[in-house]
Every structure is written in structure tokens, then in C-alpha cells.
Amino acid sequence: MTPERRTTRLVMRQWTDADLEPFAALNADPEVMEHFPAPLTREASDALAARARAGLEANGWGLWAVEVDGRFAGFTGLARPAWDPSLVEVGWRLARWAWGHGYATEAARAALAVGFEEVGLTEIVSFTAVGNERSRAVMRRIGMTRDPADDFDYPTIPQGHPLRRSVLYRIRSSSWTRSGSGSTASGTAET
């Protein structure tokens, strides 16, 4: 497996030093980080990029930097949450200029294809704060479903915090194959 993936409109690739400044800018944007406890400092943003880079080097899959027409747009990919490494989640975070074009859906589908077709995962999850309707819509568009019994309190967010309650969506490899979602891995876009 190589770390770079291409869809119809996107390049999902290894991180470069040139990504650090625009990544820090999107992680400092209050609107992008609305459903996180706080925007990230430059140091925390750089550390996240370093972990993503190391994961891609070690595994050939992980959190890819996403490019649109040669411009860094954010990330998408697969990761194991620190609080439950038995899970693999698909996630994304894009700069505001990249919202509303179907890029998150396109990239997430490509990440699911890697997880199911190359890595051989049997299930991939995604989760977010209850009020993050934009991300929840992406989860539904990529074929994930939610059972309210799976919702949980995010373990590192303090009790009483409005973002603590999280929703969890799932997709199993059998659903991926059966639904034909794998055919979208080449990057069929939704707008």
C-alpha cells in the first residue's frame, strides 16, 4: 500500500512541512473547531500533523493530508481513537473554503475503500458531538448508520460540557460491499 490516494477531485497524500501553516490556521478557526472543546494551538496542531505523518509511514494508511487543485484543504482518513484502540474511525477536518463542495464525502468514501478493501477491516465507525449536523450528514451520505444505544459521553471532555455527548455511526464491510458503496471509492462527488 502507498500512502497517496487520488479521487476524481482530490489528492490524499503524506503530510509535508508546507502543510503545517495552513493546518494550524484551520485548527485555530473557531468555526472549523466549533464542535471541539477549543481551537488548537500551533504546537498542538503541529503535533497532530506529526502523528498523522508517522501513522502513514508506519501503516500505509491513516490520516491523509487532502489537496484540492494543489491547495492544502485539511485531512481525512482512518485512525484508532486513543480512548478505544479496538475501534477504527473515519474522520475529516477541512478548511472553511472547502466546505459545501462534497470533498469530505468524497475523501471519506476513499478512506472507507482503503479500510475495507485494502486493510481488511470489518467495521469502521465515526463519531461527533450531537450538534455537529454537517459531519453527521457526511456520515449518512457515506452509508453509515446510527443506533442511539451506541451514543456515548466523550471520555476526555469534562462532565457537564455541552460537547461531551457524542453520537456514533457505523458501517460494516458487509454493508459496504452489499450497498455498492465501494464503487464510489474512485471519487464520485456529492455536492
Side-chain angles (χ1 to χ4, degrees), residues 3-69:
E4 185 171 291
R5 301 287 187 270
R6 291 181 179 267
T7 68
T8 302
R9 302 179 297 164
L10 309 173
V11 176
M12 296 163 49
R13 58 162 173 77
Q14 180 57 282
W15 293 75
T16 68
D17 290 344
D19 300 328
L20 297 180
E21 187 173 328
F23 189 50
L26 79 86
N27 284 322
D29 182 327
E31 195 171 352
V32 171
M33 300 300 288
E34 174 185 7
H35 298 286
F36 291 87
L40 297 183
T41 64
R42 175 63 190 255
E43 294 76 22
S45 179
D46 288 354
L48 176 55
R51 286 192 305 275
R53 185 184 300 201
L56 285 172
E57 286 174 4
N59 303 314
W61 59 273
L63 298 176
W64 290 273
V66 173
E67 254 182 42
V68 176
D69 296 326

Side-chain angles (χ1 to χ4, degrees), residues 167-179:
V167 293
L168 186 131
Y169 285 71
R170 301 176 184 271
I171 187 169
R172 292 186 171 82
S173 58
S174 56
S175 299
W176 172 260
T177 303
R178 195 170 49 247
S179 72

Side-chain angles (χ1 to χ4, degrees), residues 17-127:
D17 290 344
D19 300 328
L20 297 180
E21 187 173 328
F23 189 50
L26 79 86
N27 284 322
D29 182 327
E31 195 171 352
V32 171
M33 300 300 288
E34 174 185 7
H35 298 286
F36 291 87
L40 297 183
T41 64
R42 175 63 190 255
E43 294 76 22
S45 179
D46 288 354
L48 176 55
R51 286 192 305 275
R53 185 184 300 201
L56 285 172
E57 286 174 4
N59 303 314
W61 59 273
L63 298 176
W64 290 273
V66 173
E67 254 182 42
V68 176
D69 296 326
R71 182 178 179 190
F72 176 83
F75 75 78
T76 195
L78 304 169
R80 293 188 184 277
W83 49 269
D84 188 348
S86 70
L87 299 174
V88 174
E89 70 165 310
V90 61
W92 48 87
R93 186 177 309 160
L94 299 177
R96 274 188 293 150
W97 65 264
W99 293 3
H101 302 285
Y103 299 143
T105 301
E106 185 173 332
R109 282 186 176 140
L112 289 177
V114 171
F116 290 135
E117 298 169 14
E118 295 180 37
V119 180
L121 299 171
T122 57
E123 180 180 74
I124 299 173
V125 302
S126 194
F127 49 86

Side-chain angles (χ1 to χ4, degrees), residues 112-147:
L112 289 177
V114 171
F116 290 135
E117 298 169 14
E118 295 180 37
V119 180
L121 299 171
T122 57
E123 180 180 74
I124 299 173
V125 302
S126 194
F127 49 86
T128 190
V130 172
N132 189 349
E133 188 50 44
R134 286 187 301 269
S135 282
R136 292 176 70 173
V138 171
M139 293 171 198
R140 291 187 296 269
R141 281 195 295 271
I142 62 176
M144 299 185 108
T145 58
R146 172 181 169 238
D147 178 346

